[in-house]
C-alpha cells in the first residue's frame, strides 16, 4: 500500500495544527472578507499552522464558488506563507468538485480537502472514480475526508489504500474514529493522518497521527498547539490535562450545537464578530450562549 516517498510529507504539506475556519458573514449575511483576514491572522498568530477554508465549518454547502475563492485569496494575502491553506473541494457532484478544485488552485490553495460524496451514497467504486477525477484536475496534494456521519458512507480501508496509490492523495482527515482499522493504514499506507473529531485528538496522536483539523481550535488555538507540543515532548500528563480541562469542555458544546454554530458563537464571545450561520444552520440561542460562556470561562479561554 502506498509508497515510502509519502512518509513524513504530511506536516510540510498540510501542517500539523489546523483549524477548519468559519466563513465570516456581515449582519446582512454577505461574505465579510475583512473579518476573514482578521480571524485568519489571529489563529495563525496563536499557533495554528494550517487552515481549511470552505470546509464543513466554512459552510461549504451554502457558499458559492465565487465566495469560496474570494475568501481564499483574502486569507492568502493576509497570512502569506505563515500557514498552509487547504481548500474544501468536495461535493456530491464530481463535475462541480473538479471545477471547484481548479478554481481553488487558481486562487492559491496549497492543498485540497475532498470529502466523501454525501447524500448520493455511491459505491466504493464510485468514490474511487470521483476522487481520481478531482485528483486529475490539478496537481495539488489531496487530503481525503472520511466522515460517514455526514456523507452517509464510510471510506472503506481498501478504498483508502487504493487511493493512496495516487501521487497527489497524501492524507486523510478521519472523523470516523475506527482506530482498529486506521492503525494499519497509518503504519503502512504512507498517508498522513489527521484527527477530524476533537474529542479524539489525543488518542489519534498515540496511533501516529500527524495532527488535527479542528473546530474547537477557533476558541482555543494555543491550547490545541500545546496539546501537540506536549505530546511530542513526552509530557503526557500535560497533554491529558489540556485535553480534559480545555479542549473537551469546548468539544461538549461543539457536539451539542454543531461545529459552525459553536465556532461562531464562541468567537463572538471572544470579540471576533463573524456573523451568524446561513440557514438551514441556525445560530445559538441566548440560553446556549450563556452556557457556552460559563464553560469557556471554566476552560480558561474567555
Amino acid at each position: 500500500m502506498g509508497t515510502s516517498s509519502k512518509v513524513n510529507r504530511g506536516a510540510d504539506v498540510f501542517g500539523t495544527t489546523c483549524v477548519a475556519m468559519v466563513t465570516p458573514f456581515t449582519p446582512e449575511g454577505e461574505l465579510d472578507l475583512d473579518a476573514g483576514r482578521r480571524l485568519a491572522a489571529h489563529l495563525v498568530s496563536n499557533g495554528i499552522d494550517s487552515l481549511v477554508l470552505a470546509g464543513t465549518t466554512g459552510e461549504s454547502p451554502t457558499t458559492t464558488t465565487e465566495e469560496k475563492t474570494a475568501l481564499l485569496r483574502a486569507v492568502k494575502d493576509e497570512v502569506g506563507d505563515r500557514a498552509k491553506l487547504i481548500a474544501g473541494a468536495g461535493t456530491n457532484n464530481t463535475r462541480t468538485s473538479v471545477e471547484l478544485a481548479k478554481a481553488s488552485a487558481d486562487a492559491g490553495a496549497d492543498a485540497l480537502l475532498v470529502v466523501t460524496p454525501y447524500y448520493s451514497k455511491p459505491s466504493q467504486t464510485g468514490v474511487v472514480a470521483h476522487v481520481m477525477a478531482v485528483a486529475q484536475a490539478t496537481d495539488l496534494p489531496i487530503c481525503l475526508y472520511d466522515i460517514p456521519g455526514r456523507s452517509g458512507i464510510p471510506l472503506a480501508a481498501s478504498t483508502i489504500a487504493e487511493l493512496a496509490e495516487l501521487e497527489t492523495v497524501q492524507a486523510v482527515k478521519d472523523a470516523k474514529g475506527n482506530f482498529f482499522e486506521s492503525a494499519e493504514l497509518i503504519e503502512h499506507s504512507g498517508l498522513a493522518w489527521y484527527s477530524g473529531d476533537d474529542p479524539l485528538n489525543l488518542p489519534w496522536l498515540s496511533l501516529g497521527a500527524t495532527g488535527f483539523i479542528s473546530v474547537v481550535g477557533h476558541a482555543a488555538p494555543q491550547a490545541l498547539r500545546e496539546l501537540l507540543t506536549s505530546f511530542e515532548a513526552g509530557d503526557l500528563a500535560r497533554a491529558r490535562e489540556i485535553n480534559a480541562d480545555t479542549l473537551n469542555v469546548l468539544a461538549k458544546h461543539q457536539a451539542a450545537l454543531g461545529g459552525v454554530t459553536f465556532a461562531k458563537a464562541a468567537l463572538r464571545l471572544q470579540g471576533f464578530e463573524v456573523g451568524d450561520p446561513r440557514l438551514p444552520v441556525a445560530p445559538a440561542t441566548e440560553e446556549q450562549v450563556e452556557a457556552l460562556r460559563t464553560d469557556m470561562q471554566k476552560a480558561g479561554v474567555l
Side-chain angles (χ1 to χ4, degrees):
M1 289 188 290
T3 59
S4 60
S5 65
K6 292 185 180 180
V7 176
N8 298 325
R9 286 173 58 179
D12 293 337
V13 176
F14 302 98
T16 59
T17 309
C18 178
V19 164
M21 198 179 95
V22 298
T23 297
F25 299 128
T26 66
E28 295 74 35
E30 300 303 317
L31 181 65
D32 189 338
L33 293 179
D34 288 340
R37 286 173 173 270
R38 288 193 299 271
L39 177 58
H42 163 73
L43 293 171
V44 172
S45 296
N46 283 279
I48 301 304
D49 62 9
S50 175
L51 297 169
V52 168
L53 301 175
T56 307
T57 311
E59 300 183 67
S60 57
T62 54
T63 52
T64 65
T65 297
E66 291 73 23
E67 288 173 324
K68 290 176 172 69
T69 54
L71 181 61
L72 175 56
R73 287 191 173 95
V75 171
K76 183 84 171 180
D77 183 64
E78 183 68 31
V79 304
D81 61 0
R82 292 190 294 145
K84 298 297 182 182
L85 299 184
I86 305 169
T91 73
N92 65 344
N93 182 326
T94 304
R95 288 187 177 185
T96 301
S97 298
V98 166
E99 293 167 0
L100 184 53
K102 291 178 178 178
S104 299
D106 290 343
D110 296 304
L112 302 174
L113 181 71
V114 179
V115 70
T116 313
Y118 43 85
Y119 187 78
S120 304
K121 299 185 76 172
S123 67
Q124 294 295 304
T125 301
V127 172
V128 170
H130 172 82
V131 174
M132 288 182 68
V134 177
Q136 291 165 0
T138 80
D139 60 0
L140 291 181
I142 287 173
C143 179
L144 305 173
Y145 187 8
D146 191 6
I147 182 165
R150 286 187 181 272
S151 67
I153 59 168
L155 283 174
S158 58
T159 298
I160 295 173
E162 182 176 354
L163 291 171
E165 299 293 339
L166 298 175
E167 181 61 29
T168 55
V169 173
Q170 298 178 13
V172 173
K173 178 185 177 184
D174 192 312
K176 182 168 59 183
N178 187 330
F179 294 125
F180 180 75
E181 178 181 273
S182 297
E184 182 178 355
L185 288 164
I186 291 171
E187 193 68 21
H188 299 297
S189 70
L191 296 170
W193 218 264
Y194 290 85
S195 170
D197 189 6
D198 278 299
L200 301 183
N201 286 344
L202 188 53
W204 275 124
L205 289 180
S206 72
L207 288 180
T210 299
F212 340 101
I213 299 177
S214 171
V215 176
V216 301
H218 282 94
Q222 292 178 342
L224 190 68
R225 166 59 64 182
E226 190 181 355
L227 178 71
L228 181 64
T229 56
S230 296
F231 180 87
E232 290 179 336
D235 189 351
L236 298 185
R238 178 58 181 154
R240 288 194 294 266
E241 180 183 22
I242 295 165
N243 191 57
D245 295 345
T246 300
L247 299 179
N248 277 358
V249 173
L250 301 173
K252 176 182 70 175
H253 290 275
Q254 177 193 337
L257 298 176
V260 179
T261 301
F262 158 79
K264 289 197 164 183
L267 287 168
R268 180 173 285 161
L269 287 170
Q270 290 179 328
F272 287 91
E273 182 53 57
V274 291
D276 288 333
R278 281 181 177 168
L279 291 173
V281 178
T285 66
E286 289 184 13
E287 293 79 9
Q288 289 169 331
V289 170
E290 287 312 305
L292 177 59
R293 184 196 305 274
T294 297
D295 276 355
M296 286 178 67
Q297 291 169 340
K298 183 189 304 182
V301 297
L302 190 62

